[in-house]
Amino acid sequence: MSHFWKPVRKGAVATVFLGAMSAQAVALETVVIDLVNEPSSLDPHVQWNPDSYAVYRNIFDNLLTRDDDGEIIPQVATAWEYLSDTEIAFTIRTDITFHDGTPLTAEDVAFSVERITDPDFGSPQLGQFNQITAAEVTGDDTVVLTTARPYPALLAQLVKLSIVPAEHVQEVGDDAFNAAPLGSGPYVFDAWQRGVQVTLTRNDDYWGDAGPFERAEFRAVPDAATRVANLQSGASNLIVTIDPDMAMQLDMAAGVSPRSALTERVGFLRLNGAREELEDLRMRQAIAHAIDKELIVEGLLAGFDRPVDQMLSPAHFGWIDGIEGLPYDPDTARALIEEIGEDAQRPMVFATAPVFDQRIVQALQQMLSEVGLNVSIELSDMSSYLSRVQSDPEDAPHMNFGRWSCACQDADGVLHPLLHSSSSWSTLNDPEFDAPLEAARETLDEDERLDAYRAVHERVIAEVPLVPLYQAAILYGVDDRLEWTPTPNESMFLNRMGWSD
Amino acid sequence: MTSFLVRRTGQAALALFGVCTLIFFLTRLTGDPVLLMAPEGATRADIEALRTALGFDRPLIVQYWEYLNGLMRFDFGQSIVQRVPVMDIIVSRLPYTLGLAAAALVVALGLGVPMGVYMAVHRARPLARVLMGVVLAGQSLPTFWSGILLISLFAVTLGWLPSSGAREVTSVIMPAIALGLLSMATFARVARSAVLDELSKPYVRAARAKGLSTGRVVRRHVLRNGSIPVISVSALEIANLLAGAVIVETVFAWPGLGLLTVQAIQARDFPIVEAVVLLSAVVSIGLNLIADILYSVVDPRITLDGAAR
Amino acid sequence: MSVRAAMRRRNWWIAPHLWPFVAILLGFAAMALLAPWLAPADPTSQNLLGRLRPPGEEVRGFTYLLGSDELGRDLLSRLIFGAQVSLSVAILSVLISGLAGTALGMIAAYFRGWTDTVIMRVVDIFLSVPPILLAIITVAVLGPGLWNVIIVLALTRWPRYARVAYGQTLAVMNMPFVRIARFSGASAGRILAVHVLPNIIGPLMVIVTLEFGLMVLFEAGLSFLGLGVQPPTPSWGAMLSTGRNYVASAWWIAAFPGLCLFLLVLAVNVIGDDLRDRYDRRGTERSKA
């Protein structure tokens, strides 16, 4: 069987087909990357989704960036200094030029901040930056950002701030800029064949290392099985979003392999204590005891992911070693359920969406059924799922599966939205959660913050508003000739990739 | 006659208006794109701010009025998610949809008609029955399955065809086959009964009596006369091919309108959904209108009967 | 009378070449009805340590005759229970859309005038809305579930029956026996049910069989788009759409439900095709007479 499916690498039969032949000829100059959807927009300030992000981050430079180990390092800003708890001064590189040749200045940085924080502009990313109240150019190469309060996650958020050319944007307008984005990054926007692909070409005048590819093509391939076939047939060099079973399949195929990184994304099961069926703490504890995280990770996720006992990953600030959650113990779970009696048998709804791994959702449901609970899965499309999960706690589903990443590697971006009473993601209204979450948000003192988060983690274990499951791995399918290491923040920088020969 | 035309056209316009209204309100029942666009962890205030910026906080009736106003000026608005005029997006996708439908039609006609003719001419041979089975089998496979089987075989194992996308001309072959197999049966059937009808006509018997071979009669006369029903069915089948392409386009990453519609609905990008539905409504209601008018010309009884009441 | 009875008997006689296909249908129907007794295991019971096992392999004393799926469930049991879901979705959606569409089409053709205009324009409107849009709206508004899949299918398909019933009724309305019935003062309901329906049921039955096959495929398509029946409920469409991700590593997951689906639709199509031939022939005979 296996030899039948063994892929013929490109070129073997290509002589007959011109298309395949040209694919081989350009192979090493062009890297082809299969995303799920096409970018919604390449203006870095008007959307927030992974497919757009993968592309535009190669066209633009960001104020700061992270290295492959996840440390925050300079990019457009070479240095930064806190002037006070709410003011921070950035020194801007002077040797960067945009793709049209104009130099990148401190004005462009200030403009980018003002643009993304302007409520009338309507950036979906507004919430990530609206703690910034002012951006002021104070010298030739200095910008001072002022925040409303001390804001510990500021640097982590600025990693996501792409710098756009102020004059150009004002001159051509937002719509034209959106159609033909112009940045200062290692790759230049070349063409966008709607629905098919975005093509970038290398910026040979880049101030840093621009990488080995002359061209890069980002294609939209919605069906995962098709992406795998693309990789195996040599039509693409890198594919995103595959599941562990597909990864195993790639492992057996010739010339390609799966690559993974543990990310800052955490899988969890949210329990809605505002619904009467889950009001009883013992119910929520029983659920936590019923779940065998090890089995999910080893049995279903092929060991790529890692079970966690706190609602964070070690990649986050706020992770505390040695915290232990409620252990897998089906007998205790059954005992608790028996103690509750008939009320434990009431039907409950488990909401999920097609983007999540349905195997995990079904496995969780099975584990809950095995200890005697009555849970039914409700699968709806992503938009309906989001509005159900974020509706009033009394109407929200009893439980839902989620995979959370704030793309900021800071506990504030995870625990505050999931647990604070003011958040639409939280079904809680508990001062014991609110107080430490607020305290940790408003100080720059790392020890104080860690103490506050420890309190939050412990409260999560005591109250069980959610069950942390695992630190998610991100899986890619990669052409063996491509040298590249996936990173925890799920970024895809072309200038950090290369060919192995 | 004129009053019928006027009335029938008026009804078609009313139906179009109905489609626009229905779609506008139905899509709004499914929420708005704001939650999908906001990053994880956006606060209620952030979400409300985005909702205001995109205009979804205004009363529905105001939004509806604005939509109708735009329509009057043939302005279909801007994609909410992509921030590009809807017209540009549709214009860039339309050629792919038409191209795939045309290629699928070629597959369906090219396979279906010869099989149908064979089945009619050699009705008694066992092969005819086998062919009918093959034709019906083509209609019995879910395209998302046959699609991936085609890709596994022709792209991965044999490496003959590009696995997906629309970069080369050869890219259209596999999606066209997956889509065309569904319509093949229709054509085979129509061709078969058309040829059977022709074969039973006196002129064929006369020609045969004169000593012409069956093959010659079929080639000379039957095929030409039998092609009329096939052509008229093609017109209807094109509509089916256009509508049935959603899954094929998803599997083969073919950038047609079907895939666009699914993604726009899932993203709650209403202006795109509205424009695509309006386009398909104009086509389907328009075709119906034309068909009705033609019928009334051909068979005046039908309309006179209706008008009398 | 006796000639007609003989003709009817001949018409309903199942030709020998159809026997295997009728047998397939009966077999699947039996599978669906007897599922709890036939299935060797619970179709939703998982074993994460026995995932993706090939046919015939034994895990902890249980033999997976057709292999196990991505969650270690017995594929054979899921296939047997899947027959229930796939068949009932198809039967119910055909029944609902068929009844509603036929009734509306007949009413439009009988009353003409405004009733006709309104109903047939609504038909136009429904035909121009993409089915997937209706599916997502239904799920968003009503929530997901087996019944909502049936509603989606019924909503998208009734216009087909309405169109055919409309055209056929128009033709029948001009026939003498209907005119006589109308002049003698019979009620609309009586005329439609007693005089019109029996005369248009033939072409409608042809549509029904073709639609039945289509509904099985549509249900599968909805599953592929994530809008089908709810997991872990087994349906052939849902099993096939997960299984296609394992075409290279665990072929059996897609192959068996795919084969069942194929056989079911094929059987229905072959029988429908035969039915169509018969009515066509009768149609030509009548027009010659």
Side-chain angles (χ1 to χ4, degrees):
Chain A
M1 200 69 213
S2 68
H3 71 273
F4 176 70
W5 290 105
K6 200 163 153 188
V8 177
R9 295 301 298 173
K10 78 176 70 115
V13 201
T15 38
V16 192
F17 287 92
L18 220 105
M21 214 162 69
S22 64
Q24 189 190 28
V26 298
L28 293 177
E29 288 138 38
T30 306
V31 64
V32 181
I33 299 175
D34 282 3
L35 305 173
V36 180
N37 291 312
E38 68 174 337
S40 57
S41 160
L42 291 176
D43 180 335
H45 294 168
V46 301
Q47 37 58 36
W48 180 254
N49 72 62
D51 295 316
S52 310
Y53 190 75
V55 181
Y56 79 71
R57 292 209 52 182
N58 290 294
I59 305 175
F60 293 89
D61 281 323
N62 292 345
L63 190 61
L64 306 169
T65 191
R66 285 184 193 271
D67 62 16
D68 287 349
D69 298 324
E71 293 301 315
I72 294 176
I73 57 167
Q75 194 165 32
V76 169
T78 54
W80 50 93
E81 182 191 5
Y82 274 94
L83 304 178
S84 73
D85 269 5
T86 57
E87 279 178 311
I88 179 166
F90 291 89
T91 311
I92 306 301
R93 281 189 87 95
T94 51
D95 59 347
I96 305 180
T97 55
F98 286 108
H99 299 150
D100 63 353
T102 55
L104 185 154
T105 64
E107 267 83 16
D108 295 312
V109 174
F111 173 78
S112 300
V113 174
E114 281 159 7
R115 187 170 185 251
I116 208 166
T117 54
D118 177 4
D120 292 335
F121 182 68
S123 170
Q125 284 170 271
L126 178 64
Q128 298 173 338
F129 297 102
N130 60 3
Q131 294 291 327
I132 304 172
T133 51
E136 222 179 320
V137 178
T138 55
D140 281 350
D141 54 358
T142 316
V143 176
V144 174
L145 299 186
T146 312
T147 54
R149 298 173 283 114
Y151 184 46
L154 180 66
L155 292 179
Q157 299 289 21
L158 289 173
V159 167
K160 293 174 272 183
L161 179 71
S162 294
I163 307 303
V164 300
E167 246 174 66
H168 178 75
V169 172
Q170 285 164 323
E171 198 180 294
V172 302
D174 290 331
D175 289 342
F177 180 65
N178 184 20
L182 181 125
S184 63
Y187 282 80
V188 182
F189 172 77
D190 179 46
W192 187 342
Q193 196 186 352
R194 292 269 161 195
V196 185
Q197 61 185 32
V198 176
T199 312
L200 309 183
T201 53
R202 187 171 55 208
N203 173 11
D204 287 320
D205 299 326
Y206 189 57
W207 58 273
D209 178 13
F213 316 114
E214 272 174 33
R215 283 156 52 85
E217 291 173 3
F218 291 89
R219 307 194 300 176
V221 186
D223 184 19
T226 309
R227 287 195 296 276
V228 169
N230 281 350
L231 182 71
Q232 287 188 296
S233 67
S236 51
N237 306 113
L238 172 58
I239 60 172
V240 303
T241 319
I242 54 173
D243 73 22
D245 286 334
M246 289 173 165
M248 303 307 278
Q249 183 182 328
L250 289 177
D251 220 9
M252 292 185 293
V256 295
S257 49
R259 277 183 219 170
S260 75
L262 283 167
T263 65
E264 57 163 307
R265 202 172 279 279
V266 183
F268 64 96
L269 179 68
R270 184 182 81 163
L271 304 176
N272 181 359
R275 297 287 294 252
E276 57 176 358
E277 291 85 350
L278 286 175
E279 222 173 6
D280 192 331
L281 174 62
R282 291 172 302 175
M283 269 300 265
R284 305 197 298 271
Q285 286 170 333
I287 289 172
H289 281 303
I291 295 171
D292 188 350
K293 300 172 194 173
E294 293 285 342
L295 182 62
I296 289 178
V297 168
E298 291 304 321
L300 267 185
L301 299 172
F304 287 110
D305 309 58
R306 178 162 69 180
V308 291
D309 276 351
Q310 48 189 306
M311 188 51 222
L312 283 183
S313 77
H316 285 92
F317 176 84
W319 168 267
I320 288 162
D321 280 326
I323 288 207
E324 277 187 32
L326 300 177
Y328 169 58
D329 184 356
D331 294 332
T332 310
R334 280 193 204 95
L336 284 166
I337 287 165
E338 202 162 313
E339 208 179 295
I340 299 165
E342 271 198 11
D343 277 356
Q345 311 298 326
R346 286 178 290 187
M348 290 185 284
V349 168
F350 185 170
T352 175
V355 294
F356 303 120
D357 189 337
Q358 295 313 306
R359 302 171 315 150
I360 296 174
V361 173
Q362 294 185 48
L364 286 170
Q365 184 215 23
Q366 162 96 356
M367 287 171 183
L368 300 182
S369 307
E370 268 171 14
V371 298
L373 297 172
N374 180 1
V375 179
S376 58
I377 295 175
E378 283 192 3
L379 176 69
S380 48
D381 77 300
M382 193 61 189
S383 178
S384 311
Y385 166 84
L386 286 176
S387 65
R388 297 180 69 201
V389 167
Q390 294 187 56
S391 58
D392 290 334
E394 304 79 49
D395 305 325
H398 298 88
M399 56 191 88
N400 63 279
F401 176 74
R403 294 165 80 242
W404 193 272
S405 167
C406 63
C408 65
Q409 299 184 20
D410 189 289
D412 182 62
V414 181
L415 300 178
H416 195 280
L418 283 176
L419 302 168
H420 193 274
S421 58
S422 73
S423 159
S424 59
W425 290 93
S426 152
T427 55
L428 296 165
N429 192 354
D430 181 350
E432 303 262 350
F433 275 119
D434 290 358
L437 286 169
E438 282 160 24
R441 176 171 263 207
E442 293 185 354
T443 173
L444 297 179
D445 185 309
E446 295 200 345
D447 290 335
E448 259 177 66
R449 296 190 71 214
L450 283 177
D451 283 344
Y453 287 131
R454 177 187 294 276
V456 174
H457 293 319
E458 280 162 1
R459 184 101 186 131
V460 168
I461 293 161
E463 283 294 317
V464 210
L466 52 84
V467 184
L469 298 173
Y470 58 90
Q471 177 184 12
I474 186 160
L475 288 167
Y476 301 91
V478 187
D479 182 335
D480 282 341
R481 294 169 302 171
L482 191 71
E483 267 179 0
W484 174 60
T485 317
T487 61
N489 59 355
E490 302 175 25
S491 62
M492 282 211 272
F493 292 109
L494 294 168
N495 62 347
R496 298 186 194 176
M497 299 177 188
W499 296 117
S500 57
D501 292 331
Chain B
M1 192 67 210
T2 334
S3 85
F4 166 74
L5 276 183
V6 171
R7 206 163 31 115
R8 191 62 189 75
T9 313
Q11 284 175 11
L14 209 64
L16 270 185
F17 175 77
V19 170
C20 295
T21 307
L22 186 76
I23 286 308
F24 181 90
F25 288 100
L26 277 183
T27 51
R28 263 59 177 189
L29 274 179
T30 66
D32 61 36
V34 173
L35 289 178
L36 280 171
M37 292 173 77
E40 285 154 314
T43 62
R44 283 199 188 99
D46 297 340
I47 289 170
E48 278 317 311
L50 187 57
R51 192 162 276 147
T52 309
L54 296 174
F56 284 110
D57 59 332
R58 296 169 306 160
L60 213 51
I61 198 75
V62 175
Q63 295 180 42
Y64 178 58
W65 181 243
E66 194 183 89
Y67 166 63
L68 287 183
N69 257 325
L71 276 189
M72 293 299 145
R73 288 175 281 114
F74 291 98
D75 173 6
F76 300 98
Q78 210 188 29
S79 155
I80 298 161
V81 179
Q82 304 193 20
R83 303 204 183 191
V84 172
V86 169
M87 215 46 193
D88 293 2
I89 297 176
I90 289 186
V91 164
S92 70
R93 297 290 193 102
L94 197 56
Y96 293 103
T97 291
L98 297 178
L100 177 57
L105 192 64
V106 168
V107 170
L109 279 172
L111 294 176
V113 171
M115 286 203 253
V117 172
Y118 182 92
M119 284 186 272
V121 176
H122 305 285
R123 202 159 26 149
R125 292 195 197 170
L127 183 59
R129 195 154 276 168
V130 173
L131 276 182
M132 197 64 213
V134 171
V135 166
L136 290 173
Q139 212 182 13
S140 312
L141 279 171
T143 45
F144 63 86
W145 195 43
S146 58
I148 200 70
L149 292 180
L150 284 173
I151 293 176
S152 303
L153 181 63
F154 290 108
V156 179
T157 308
L158 298 172
W160 290 355
L161 292 170
S163 40
S164 80
R167 205 158 29 167
E168 292 121 39
V169 183
T170 48
S171 297
V172 80
I173 296 176
M174 283 197 289
I177 292 175
L179 191 56
L181 284 183
L182 295 177
S183 300
M184 184 177 72
T186 312
F187 287 115
R189 205 178 271 134
V190 171
R192 173 168 162 262
S193 64
V195 170
L196 279 180
D197 271 3
E198 287 301 311
L199 287 178
S200 68
K201 286 185 179 165
Y203 79 88
V204 176
R205 280 181 224 155
R208 276 196 187 153
K210 276 201 296 182
L212 286 174
S213 73
T214 313
R216 205 179 153 90
V217 176
V218 169
R219 276 195 300 276
R220 272 277 176 88
H221 306 286
V222 173
L223 285 188
R224 189 184 303 159
N225 294 332
S227 61
I228 295 161
V230 174
I231 292 170
S232 64
V233 166
S234 304
L236 292 175
E237 207 52 33
I238 289 172
N240 281 343
L241 288 173
L242 290 174
V246 173
I247 288 174
V248 171
E249 287 179 6
T250 309
V251 171
F252 290 97
W254 184 262
L257 286 175
L259 183 54
L260 176 73
T261 316
V262 174
Q263 291 175 336
I265 295 166
Q266 281 171 349
R268 304 295 189 264
D269 201 340
F270 300 141
I272 294 185
V273 178
E274 287 154 2
V276 173
V277 173
L278 186 61
L279 181 69
S280 79
V282 167
V283 172
S284 85
I285 293 175
L287 282 179
N288 256 313
L289 178 62
I290 293 168
D292 276 8
I293 292 172
L294 287 181
Y295 282 136
S296 76
V297 173
V298 175
D299 185 1
R301 266 182 320 171
I302 296 175
T303 51
L304 289 178
D305 211 21
R309 249 163 257 273
Chain C
M1 201 64 196
S2 66
V3 176
R4 210 196 256 175
M7 236 177 82
R8 193 177 293 153
R9 200 180 309 139
R10 200 189 55 187
N11 265 330
W12 286 102
W13 176 249
I14 298 166
H17 73 272
L18 291 181
W19 289 350
F21 298 100
V22 173
I24 289 173
L25 280 190
L26 291 177
F28 283 143
M31 222 162 110
L33 290 172
L34 304 175
W37 296 278
L38 286 177
D42 176 351
T44 59
S45 156
Q46 306 167 3
N47 177 6
L48 295 189
L49 300 173
R51 297 184 334 109
L52 308 175
R53 296 300 163 94
E57 204 167 295
E58 193 182 305
V59 176
R60 286 197 292 197
F62 181 82
T63 309
Y64 292 116
L65 282 177
L66 295 184
S68 69
D69 74 356
E70 77 283 1
L71 286 163
R73 297 175 292 209
D74 179 39
L75 207 65
L76 176 61
S77 307
R78 287 183 71 71
L79 214 53
I80 292 172
F81 275 92
Q84 278 186 346
V85 176
S86 295
L87 284 177
S88 52
V89 166
I91 290 172
L92 288 172
S93 55
V94 164
L95 209 63
I96 295 173
S97 56
L99 287 178
T102 306
L104 287 169
M106 282 166 59
I107 289 169
Y110 182 89
F111 291 103
R112 305 300 310 262
W114 275 108
T115 323
D116 178 357
T117 307
V118 171
I119 292 178
M120 294 321 282
R121 284 336 116 209
V122 172
V123 165
D124 285 352
I125 292 175
F126 266 85
L127 281 176
S128 53
V129 176
I132 165 85
L133 179 62
L134 281 178
I136 290 188
I137 290 170
T138 313
V139 170
V141 177
L142 301 178
L146 184 68
W147 272 105
N148 293 341
V149 171
I150 294 169
I151 291 174
V152 168
L153 295 177
L155 270 180
T156 48
R157 303 311 291 186
W158 71 268
R160 314 268 153 187
Y161 299 95
R163 277 256 174 98
V164 174
Y166 177 76
Q168 296 287 327
T169 307
L170 275 189
V172 173
M173 290 297 288
N174 280 328
M175 293 199 165
F177 63 94
V178 178
R179 295 204 162 177
I180 291 167
R182 287 188 90 163
F183 285 125
S184 66
S187 73
R190 195 180 150 75
I191 292 173
L192 287 178
V194 177
H195 299 289
V196 176
L197 189 60
N199 282 290
I200 67 169
I201 195 85
L204 282 171
M205 283 312 291
V206 174
I207 307 273
V208 162
T209 50
L210 294 176
E211 284 286 307
F212 184 89
L214 267 184
M215 288 306 96
V216 176
L217 293 178
F218 270 38
E219 186 271 325
L222 285 177
S223 294
F224 171 68
L225 295 169
L227 298 164
V229 295
Q230 293 300 296
T233 313
S235 89
W236 291 348
M239 291 164 76
L240 182 56
S241 77
T242 354
R244 61 195 289 289
N245 291 337
Y246 298 87
V247 168
S249 53
W251 55 270
W252 52 93
I253 303 183
F256 294 121
L259 191 68
C260 286
L261 206 83
F262 173 73
L263 286 177
L264 172 63
V265 181
L266 181 66
V268 174
N269 278 345
V270 169
I271 293 169
D273 199 59
D274 191 71
L275 215 57
R276 179 195 298 231
D277 274 0
R278 252 181 244 203
Y279 278 105
D280 272 0
R281 202 177 305 146
R282 246 182 28 174
T284 41
E285 274 164 14
R286 189 188 290 151
S287 68
K288 271 179 201 153

